[in-house]
Amino acid sequence: MTIVRYLVGYVFITSGIMKFVNPELGETFISLNLPFPLQFMTAIAVIEIICGLLIILKKWVQQATFPLIGIMIGAIILTKFPVLNDSFMQFAFNARLDIVMLVLLAYLYFE
């Protein structure tokens, strides 16, 4: 479905661009205690922009969704799972958009 491709592409392109223009996101990556957090954030931003464009242009959609699925799973594990210690409902609320994007990416992968 074309609208799903456009929306998913839009979300990832804007997410990737924000990683370049919003310095606070660098602090978020640093707080995750990942190795080379700023380089990691830059790599993720580039992947999001390129894969988002490929999805919008309907070029190699399956190949473009695969790394984005990995990014979404990583985001859920690193930023949402820790909230499970507090409450499941807080986790469900915080992860709702990530889960929707993950499902839409799976839909595009199998489309």
Side-chain angles (χ1 to χ4, degrees):
M1 182 180 278
T2 303
I3 190 74
V4 172
R5 278 190 308 101
Y6 290 151
L7 292 173
V8 168
Y10 165 78
V11 166
F12 282 103
I13 291 168
T14 56
S15 176
I17 291 170
M18 282 304 293
K19 286 175 179 65
F20 286 115
V21 299
N22 186 348
E24 292 176 13
L25 289 174
E27 295 169 17
T28 302
F29 272 77
I30 291 169
S31 72
L32 295 174
N33 294 319
L34 297 169
F36 308 104
L38 298 179
Q39 293 84 350
F40 190 66
M41 180 185 72
T42 301
I44 288 175
V46 169
I47 292 167
E48 287 177 338
I49 293 167
I50 291 171
C51 291
L53 284 170
L54 288 171
I55 289 170
I56 286 175
L57 298 172
K58 200 175 182 179
K59 302 288 184 191
W60 305 299
V61 173
Q62 271 192 324
Q63 293 84 348
T65 58
F66 197 71
L68 296 176
I69 288 170
I71 289 171
M72 294 311 301
I73 290 171
I76 291 169
I77 290 170
L78 290 172
T79 65
K80 307 309 188 287
F81 273 10
V83 179
L84 273 172
N85 294 331
D86 298 331
S87 94
F88 176 77
M89 285 310 298
Q90 189 64 44
F91 164 79
F93 177 76
N94 289 349
R96 69 194 185 284
L97 298 177
D98 296 32
I99 292 169
V100 168
M101 290 308 299
L102 193 55
V103 169
L104 291 175
L105 285 167
Y107 169 78
L108 289 174
Y109 181 84
F110 291 109
E111 183 182 49

